[in-house]
Amino acid sequence: MAWSTREMAELAGTSLRAVRHYHDIGLLEEPGRRSNGYKQYGVSHLVRLLRIKRLTALGFSLSQIADMRDGPDSDPDPRDLRALDDELAATIERLQHVRSDVGALMRRTAASELPQARSGRRTGRPPTAMVEEAFAAVPPTLDLAIDAN
């Protein structure tokens, strides 16, 4: 089976620009060309492209992917996975703190900390009233299901 660059991008659910970028940085091997000069991708190219897409979706950088061994059964190094998991855990913790702060604002516990100012130029209402109205439109709870394991 052989595909064009456009067909490869469509099959992998990515863009032509991404495929070309992966060629430019050496992540995806350049395929052979047909007699008309068009690239001719095979199954191995599609598998590699899908692997790149999967690893980037997990949070690996393109330079990290370039450093990984490549093969049909090769998975990322467990140390890389642990490092990524630690980074994701730190991000989740930071977002939980931010979410807690937003929740406090939504409950108006922090509304008194907002500075009093002149009325808004366009509405004639004080900026604090506009902020309170904006937070009032947000649902009172935002559920986050996070597995602690």
Side-chain angles (χ1 to χ4, degrees), residues 3 8 11-12 28 41-51:
W3 302 287
M8 273 286 293
L11 285 169
L28 185 61
Y41 293 89
V43 173
S44 64
H45 295 99
L46 179 59
V47 169
R48 176 67 178 159
L49 185 55
L50 290 170
R51 177 178 163 80

Side-chain angles (χ1 to χ4, degrees), residues 37-65:
Y38 290 119
K39 293 177 183 172
Q40 183 173 339
Y41 293 89
V43 173
S44 64
H45 295 99
L46 179 59
V47 169
R48 176 67 178 159
L49 185 55
L50 290 170
R51 177 178 163 80
I52 293 167
K53 187 175 176 195
R54 176 176 172 255
L55 291 171
T56 56
L58 288 174
F60 286 102
S61 70
L62 295 180
S63 62
Q64 287 173 313
I65 295 169

